[in-house]
Amino acid sequence: MKQLIMEADITRLASVTDPQYSPDGKKLAYVQTKVNKKQDSYDAHIMVFDTETEETAQWTFGTGRNQHPRWSPDGRMLAFTSNRDDSSQVYVIHTAGGEAKKVTDIPYDVVQPEWSPDGNYLLCSVKLTKTESVKDEKKPEIEDYEPLEVDSLTYKADGQGFKRGKYTQLVFVQIETGDMKQITACERDHVSHAFSPCGEKIAFCANLTEEDDNRVNDVYLMTLSSGELKRLTGQNGIFSSLSFSPDGKRLAFLGHEKEFQNATLDKAWMYDFEKDELTCLTEMLDVHLNDAVAGDSLVGGVLPKPAWTKDGNGFYVIGTDQGSTGIYYISTEGLAYPVRLEKEHLNGFSLRPDETGFAASIALPVWPSELYDIALGEDKAKRLTDANEDFVKEHIISTPEEFQFETADGLTVHGWLMKPAGFEEGKKYPLILEVHGGPHAMYANAYFHEFQVLAAKGSAVVYVNPRGSHGYGQDFVNKVRGDYGGGDFDDVMAAVDHVHAHHDFIDQDRLGITGGSYGGFMTNWAVGHTNRFKAAVTQRSISNWVSFYGVSDIGYFFTDWQLGADLFEDPDKLWDRSPLKYAERVETPLLILHGERDDRCPIEQAEQLFTALKKMGKNVKLVRFPNASHDLSRSGHPKQRIKRLQYIAGWFDSHL
């Protein structure tokens, strides 16, 4: 008999990510991540699927995270990173068998290995200060009482904490000897590196302007023999995901020139080295070429770089559209169209060497991420792995029902309704509204554990993509900017009205609302502007834009980008759009969940709201999660993730 889904079942889920075909197409490496209950952490292992025998073999074992598998150009070796010895180092394993060889052994994490075309070197990333070196034998210890000197606005980052002068530098690693050579030294982050096919040049992204808080990420080409740098973009955009064409004459990448600040769709770009010309290939494509899905059940996802065809006439990338992600083909002439766009969350892919199809990691609404084989031109996908099969077979999984409606100002809003797991005709059920973060993200046709838990507890769940969400074009994603708590609030409330009007099993007197980050802002805003909700749970939220400006790692530019107001130019607008201003109106019982190491929405946002409501005698409770960052719900400690779900479900159980 199938069981109802429980909060702790999140430890049963496996994440299948980052598929990588071997050069001959006979093997398919990928990463499978699971919860290690004993250590309250995650174990990630390199798995290899044999395309001829259709059998999977596990290539790494033990505890820790083994990630980023990359085949050598001749297919004889597989490089990957592993933190099995505390820090993340690069290992190489021969495909003929044997133990993995530790290639790097330094006191700093080494990540993102990429092979040189001749197979003799790896180009990797290491975070270093100006006084640290890949030659160091011991990592400098930082005493608890050591003062932190701050002279930059970018001194901290969520999930990383205080940077303490560390920047991502690029290093060469010689495969045979393990010798390492640092090739960048500027005190800026150098990311998204790629080798040219000739091996004489590399490309990477960095902000090398005079101001380290300048919100740009340019593309650079470095000639290795001389160290000469050439900037390929105009110091006005944010770019990443670099990939050379097979002949080395072109470089493809993704990004935008901030026309709508961080609400701008990522586009496909190409630099032609012979013409010395930069071109946006998808100017007319109203699709975000990235993975914008908001979820809680995928750990370790990796956005693939543009995958060129052998003839160099185009490449494949992931695109976000209409509640799904798929594979888009982009030609060098600017032709762009989807080759795979189904109702699913396709979070990674690898092009077959013979270019007849793809291997893709895909999550479905009723089945967490697995590896699939997709023939080019065919809709049907063949599942290759069964990492989550037992979980799916043993549990009652609610199937989301899609809907859409037109807003009062003529927009179309897309969403889903999930019935309670034990739904019975004729009974009335509470309804919980979920609001995603971002706001420039998207709920999708994907498994979402939190929703399944709430459905298993006997609630219907509605979740929608209001204006500001990705997946519905540039105008739609931009409409929230300058209007937080306006049209977006109308959209989510209209969703509640829509499902109530079309489903008589919803009890209008038992409505709940929850969300995190921007969704937490919207929860706070909602309870200050309507008493329709009988219970609310706000997570990692924003309550006061005035203080957010100075305490968030992104506050000093995000408030201007999103609210259209700077603290010193229009403080009244920041306060008017702050849920804290309306605390006296709140009558809804409110549970506040917040991580103590959240640098994106620092915990003072929760403290201010809690203090105000408690002083006024409101029904409010604050739960603090020690050492948890903004990503608690997605990649936090498993025990804390379970506790979080228990708090959410328990609050709604008590009040609905």
Side-chain angles (χ1 to χ4, degrees):
M1 184 176 178
K2 288 193 172 184
Q3 306 168 6
L4 290 171
I5 291 176
M6 303 291 288
E7 297 91 340
D9 285 326
I10 201 163
T11 64
R12 296 272 316 270
L13 303 180
S15 291
V16 173
T17 59
D18 201 11
Q20 299 288 325
Y21 268 114
S22 61
D24 60 8
K26 294 182 179 180
K27 290 182 171 61
L28 184 58
Y30 62 95
V31 179
Q32 182 170 296
T33 305
K34 291 184 176 181
V35 169
N36 183 322
K37 295 181 183 179
K38 290 183 179 180
Q39 298 191 2
D40 191 29
S41 61
Y42 301 90
D43 290 338
H45 288 295
I46 309 299
M47 315 290 284
V48 177
F49 179 83
D50 190 306
T51 60
E52 295 178 329
T53 65
E54 297 191 346
E55 294 179 347
T56 297
Q58 184 171 331
W59 279 24
T60 62
F61 297 87
T63 60
R65 301 185 75 158
N66 303 275
Q67 299 172 298
H68 201 79
R70 294 297 182 267
W71 298 97
S72 62
D74 61 9
R76 296 175 58 194
M77 293 181 286
L78 184 71
F80 62 95
T81 60
S82 177
N83 66 351
R84 62 187 66 178
D85 294 328
D86 295 327
S87 65
S88 176
Q89 301 297 315
V90 176
Y91 291 74
V92 169
I93 189 168
H94 285 267
T95 57
E99 294 287 334
K101 173 188 175 183
K102 190 175 185 180
V103 178
T104 62
D105 191 10
I106 65 172
Y108 313 107
D109 289 339
V110 187
V111 297
Q112 304 292 321
E114 299 293 339
W115 289 90
S116 63
D118 62 10
N120 293 326
Y121 293 89
L122 289 168
L123 179 61
C124 306
S125 296
V126 182
K127 284 188 178 293
L128 299 168
T129 68
K130 61 183 179 182
T131 61
E132 294 172 343
S133 166
V134 293
K135 304 296 183 182
D136 292 346
E137 296 182 359
K138 185 178 180 181
K139 188 176 183 179
E141 293 184 5
I142 300 175
E143 300 290 348
D144 291 339
Y145 54 81
E146 185 71 23
L148 175 68
E149 296 182 4
V150 175
D151 57 8
S152 165
L153 289 173
T154 62
Y155 72 96
K156 64 180 179 178
D158 185 66
Q160 181 180 335
F162 297 135
K163 293 185 178 182
R164 294 187 179 273
K166 283 185 176 291
Y167 292 92
T168 302
Q169 305 296 351
L170 301 181
V171 299
F172 275 144
V173 180
Q174 215 286 333
I175 293 295
E176 290 301 319
T177 64
D179 289 343
M180 303 181 69
K181 178 183 178 183
Q182 184 177 334
I183 59 172
T184 61
C186 180
E187 289 186 89
R188 302 294 168 84
D189 291 321
H190 304 75
V191 297
S192 199
H193 49 274
F195 264 108
S196 67
C198 66
E200 297 176 357
K201 299 180 179 182
I202 63 168
F204 60 86
C205 293
N207 164 29
L208 300 185
T209 64
E210 292 184 1
E211 300 296 328
D212 68 348
D213 61 334
N214 196 353
R215 308 306 299 179
V216 301
N217 207 29
D218 281 306
V219 180
Y220 286 87
L221 184 73
M222 174 187 283
T223 302
L224 294 174
S225 60
S226 63
E228 178 186 359
L229 283 181
K230 179 178 182 179
R231 179 167 48 81
L232 307 183
T233 51
Q235 294 188 321
N236 61 339
I238 300 173
F239 303 98
S240 64
S241 200
L242 313 183
S243 180
F244 282 92
S245 62
D247 61 8
K249 295 180 179 180
R250 301 180 178 95
L251 182 70
F253 47 94
L254 305 176
H256 58 76
E257 292 184 329
K258 299 193 299 182
E259 296 92 333
F260 303 93
Q261 303 297 6
N262 63 326
T264 314
L265 302 185
D266 275 349
K267 305 175 183 69
W269 298 74
M270 182 182 73
Y271 193 90
D272 188 312
F273 294 108
E274 291 184 333
K275 297 180 180 180
D276 196 21
E277 181 179 82
L278 175 65
T279 304
C280 178
L281 298 174
T282 58
E283 193 65 50
M284 304 305 293
L285 181 68
D286 203 18
V287 172
H288 181 55
L289 297 181
N290 209 315
D291 181 356
V293 172
D296 69 348
S297 305
L298 187 72
V299 179
V302 177
L303 183 73
K305 294 180 179 181
W308 283 88
T309 56
K310 291 179 181 177
D311 59 16
N313 290 333
F315 49 88
Y316 297 96
V317 295
I318 282 182
T320 292
D321 194 20
Q322 301 293 315
S324 293
T325 54
I327 302 174
Y328 282 72
Y329 175 74
I330 315 296
S331 80
T332 56
E333 301 299 321
L335 178 67
Y337 57 87
V339 297
R340 169 82 183 180
L341 188 59
E342 302 295 321
K343 294 185 185 300
E344 62 194 18
H345 176 203
L346 190 152
N347 56 79
F349 72 87
S350 181
L351 178 63
R352 287 183 199 160
D354 64 7
E355 301 184 8
T356 60
F358 309 88
S361 46
I362 297 174
L364 303 173
V366 295
W367 199 302
S369 184
E370 300 276 11
L371 194 64
Y372 291 81
D373 177 70
I374 303 169
L376 194 60
E378 293 186 12
D379 294 336
K380 190 173 182 180
K382 177 183 178 182
R383 184 163 56 85
L384 303 179
T385 59
D386 58 2
N388 290 293
E389 187 171 24
D390 289 344
F391 171 80
V392 172
K393 287 182 176 179
E394 294 170 7
H395 290 86
I396 300 171
I397 299 179
S398 299
T399 302
E401 301 173 10
E402 283 188 89
F403 65 86
Q404 61 182 32
F405 61 89
E406 189 171 307
T407 66
D409 55 351
L411 295 180
T412 298
V413 173
H414 177 210
W416 296 261
L417 175 66
M418 188 180 290
K419 291 179 179 177
F423 177 77
E424 297 178 22
E425 291 287 352
K427 288 187 65 174
K428 290 282 190 178
Y429 294 93
L431 175 71
I432 298 173
L433 169 66
E434 291 267 5
V435 186
H436 66 63
H440 309 310
M442 178 187 76
Y443 281 142
N445 291 297
Y447 179 87
F448 208 116
H449 192 70
E450 179 180 324
F451 302 169
Q452 294 291 342
V453 168
L454 294 175
K457 298 289 185 181
S459 292
V461 181
V462 60
Y463 49 106
V464 297
N465 290 322
R467 67 192 68 196
S469 302
H470 269 309
Y472 307 92
Q474 182 62 80
D475 181 64
F476 191 87
V477 76
N478 190 54
K479 277 191 176 297
V480 74
R481 294 178 63 230
D483 190 37
Y484 272 46
D488 51 349
F489 176 57
D490 294 339
D491 290 350
V492 297
M493 296 306 297
V496 173
D497 293 337
H498 177 85
V499 297
H500 180 252
H502 289 81
H503 300 278
D504 58 8
F505 64 83
I506 294 173
D507 188 342
Q508 188 72 359
D509 293 326
R510 291 192 290 163
L511 301 179
I513 182 172
T514 186
S517 195
Y518 163 80
F521 158 82
M522 184 57 71
T523 300
N524 297 340
W525 185 265
V527 297
H529 288 79
T530 178
N531 291 328
R532 289 180 63 185
F533 297 105
K534 303 308 177 187
V537 182
T538 183
Q539 309 168 50
R540 59 187 188 280
S541 70
I542 296 169
S543 68
N544 184 351
W545 288 107
V546 177
S547 62
F548 179 86
Y549 181 96
V551 297
S552 169
D553 63 342
I554 61 173
Y556 60 92
F557 65 87
F558 188 85
T559 49
D560 187 24
W561 283 9
Q562 290 296 297
L563 271 71
D566 184 85
L567 175 61
F568 297 100
E569 295 173 357
D570 193 356
D572 289 342
K573 183 172 184 179
L574 296 188
W575 181 238
D576 287 343
R577 297 292 170 143
S578 296
L580 186 64
K581 178 179 179 179
Y582 310 97
E584 189 175 8
R585 301 180 185 178
V586 175
E587 300 298 334
T588 305
L590 180 66
L591 175 65
I592 304 173
L593 306 180
H594 218 108
E596 292 186 345
R597 286 305 305 148
D598 189 336
D599 287 319
R600 184 59 38 86
C601 297
I603 197 168
E604 63 87 31
Q605 294 285 306
E607 292 171 329
Q608 289 189 64
L609 185 59
F610 171 77
T611 300
L613 293 176
K614 199 67 178 177
K615 186 178 180 181
M616 295 176 189
K618 309 289 186 177
N619 187 347
V620 61
K621 178 184 287 187
L622 170 63
V623 179
R624 305 168 66 110
F625 290 83
N627 299 314
S629 74
H630 199 63
D631 271 345
L632 166 62
S633 65
R634 299 178 282 262
S635 58
H637 289 287
K639 287 182 180 178
Q640 287 193 336
R641 294 177 69 193
I642 294 170
K643 278 285 189 181
R644 170 188 164 274
L645 290 171
Q646 290 172 339
Y647 276 117
I648 295 170
W651 191 258
F652 287 128
D653 280 347
S654 298
H655 294 89
L656 298 182

